[in-house]
Amino acid sequence: MLVLVAALLLLGIVLGTVAHIPLPLTLAAATVIGCWLLIFAVRERASRRPR
């Protein structure tokens, strides 16, 4: 339950911040975060493959 409360609090903070910055900056930040997550996922998948 505590994890759920923390997640909702964090979501509220993030959405509150997004509501106050311009849309192009929001989209740029979302693109950067998405690329970082994609690179992380590819690296994790590559490191788990047996050699």
Side-chain angles (χ1 to χ4, degrees), residues 21-45:
I21 60 176
L23 183 61
L25 187 59
T26 302
L27 295 176
T31 303
V32 169
I33 292 169
C35 289
W36 176 65
L37 288 173
L38 183 64
I39 291 168
F40 177 77
V42 169
R43 289 182 63 188
E44 283 294 310
R45 187 172 182 96

Side-chain angles (χ1 to χ4, degrees), residues 1-40:
M1 186 68 165
L2 186 62
V3 174
L4 181 61
V5 171
L8 289 173
L9 180 66
L10 184 61
L11 182 65
I13 292 169
V14 170
L15 288 178
T17 302
V18 168
H20 294 288
I21 60 176
L23 183 61
L25 187 59
T26 302
L27 295 176
T31 303
V32 169
I33 292 169
C35 289
W36 176 65
L37 288 173
L38 183 64
I39 291 168
F40 177 77

